[in-house]
Structure formats: C-alpha cells, structure tokens
C-alpha cells in the first residue's frame, strides 16, 4: 500500500564534502539536533521514465531507492516552487527490488491513471544516483522539526558520471515559516 505525504523541502547545492563538518559543527545546528537522530547511510536511487518522458511531461518523477532496510518506490508530483521551497505530493511503497512497477501506487490519490499515462510504453532507467547521506533532525522551535540531510556522491547515466553534493532541509512538523 502506498503512503502519501506532502513534501516541503529546500534543496541547496553544496560546494565540497567539507560542508558536512562545517554545517554539523555550527553551534546552532548542534544545539538544535535531536538526540538519537544522527545517522549516515549509503543510498542508491534509480530514476525511471519512458523513452518519450511521459511521466515527466505529466509532472511526475519516479524512483526506486535501495536503503539499508530494503527498496522503496517513490512517485513525486512536480508540485510548485515558492521562494526556494518545494511543495509536492509524494507517494511511497515498499517494493522487492529495482524493477519498475507503478502498480504499487494503485489506489493512491496520485491524480492520474498511470497505466493510461504510459500509453503502453515501458519504463526505462534514466540515471542512477549513489550518495552517502549524513542526516539529523533539528528542533527549531517547540513545534517545528526539520530533517537536515547532506548528500555527497555521483549521478551515473549512459556510462558517464557527475559529482553530486547537496543539502536538504525538509519540514517534518510545525510551521513552514520557521524553516525559512
């Protein structure tokens, strides 16, 4: 069964992998870190669409991520961007492997008939993202909790690779104004 959420996050480019120690070493971050939430994990994400990019043209991105606890398929709507803050619907479902299968989202309020959207075209892997993620949760106010994730790794497509470095701040609970 697919879980639905509205994702609210800010994503920033990071210059080097030293941003880990620089950010996590800031007194503000250290003081706001919720005890027991600091983690580091390897993530491998495979992004899929049809050759003609039917999902992207309809406003969706689809990935299957290998995590330390298994595989998770995610379908994200493009949503909207305001002031650097992404608001988008997100649907997740546990899957057995990295074989694309949109039927795991059957019954979810995705907003589109996914099989009709694909019009018989097969899903194909577009690229893979391999990162090491260092994350923690921050208590910004008594009501506002944010996940801070710093990713470093690479994007691989068509036998080529490019470095990836970013920082994500995702609102887990509370007021979006505190995130900004």
């Amino acid at each position: 069964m697919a879980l639905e959420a509205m994702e609210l996050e800010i994503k920033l480019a990071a210059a080097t992998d030293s941003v880990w120690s620089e950010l996590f070493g800031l007194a503000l971050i250290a003081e706001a870190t919720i005890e027991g939430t600091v983690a580091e994990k390897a993530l491998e994400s495979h992004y899929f669409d049809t050759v003609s990019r039917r999902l992207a043209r309809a406003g969706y991105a689809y990935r299957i991520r290998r995590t330390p606890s298994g595989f998770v398929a995610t379908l994200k709507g493009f949503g909207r961007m305001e002031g650097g803050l992404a608001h988008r619907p997100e649907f997740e479902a546990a899957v057995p492997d990295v074989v694309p299968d949109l039927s795991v989202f059957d019954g979810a309020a995705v907003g589109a008939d996914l099989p009709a959207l694909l019009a018989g075209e097969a899903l194909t892997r577009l690229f893979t993202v391999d990162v090491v993620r260092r994350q923690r949760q921050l208590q910004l106010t008594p009501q506002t909790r944010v996940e801070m994730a710093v990713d470093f790794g690479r994007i691989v497509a068509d036998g080529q690779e490019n470095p990836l470095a970013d920082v994500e701040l995702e609102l887990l609970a509370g007021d979006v104004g505190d995130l900004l």
Side-chain angles (χ1 to χ4, degrees), residues 55-71:
L55 288 175
R57 287 193 333 234
Y60 294 99
Y62 173 54
R63 76 165 182 239
I64 298 176
R65 175 174 281 167
R66 179 192 310 257
T67 71
S69 58
F71 296 95

Side-chain angles (χ1 to χ4, degrees), residues 56-143:
R57 287 193 333 234
Y60 294 99
Y62 173 54
R63 76 165 182 239
I64 298 176
R65 175 174 281 167
R66 179 192 310 257
T67 71
S69 58
F71 296 95
V72 177
T74 303
L75 183 68
K76 293 186 181 195
F78 286 174
R80 66 187 194 280
M81 185 72 107
E82 295 177 40
L85 182 67
H87 300 256
R88 60 182 165 228
E90 180 178 272
F91 304 88
E92 291 191 336
V95 294
D97 51 36
V98 185
V99 176
D101 177 10
L102 291 175
S103 72
V104 298
F105 302 109
D106 288 353
V110 173
D113 178 351
L114 296 173
L117 184 69
L118 296 180
E121 268 193 75
L123 291 168
T124 186
R125 187 181 332 241
L126 302 178
F127 58 93
T128 300
V129 177
D130 291 315
V131 298
V132 172
R133 170 169 287 176
R134 291 187 179 170
Q135 65 189 52
R136 60 186 60 214
Q137 290 184 18
L138 308 174
Q139 194 73 49
L140 300 183
T141 70
Q143 299 80 24

Side-chain angles (χ1 to χ4, degrees), residues 21-34:
S21 58
E22 293 168 16
L23 278 175
F24 295 152
L26 293 172
L28 174 71
I29 301 298
E31 291 167 10
T33 297
I34 299 170

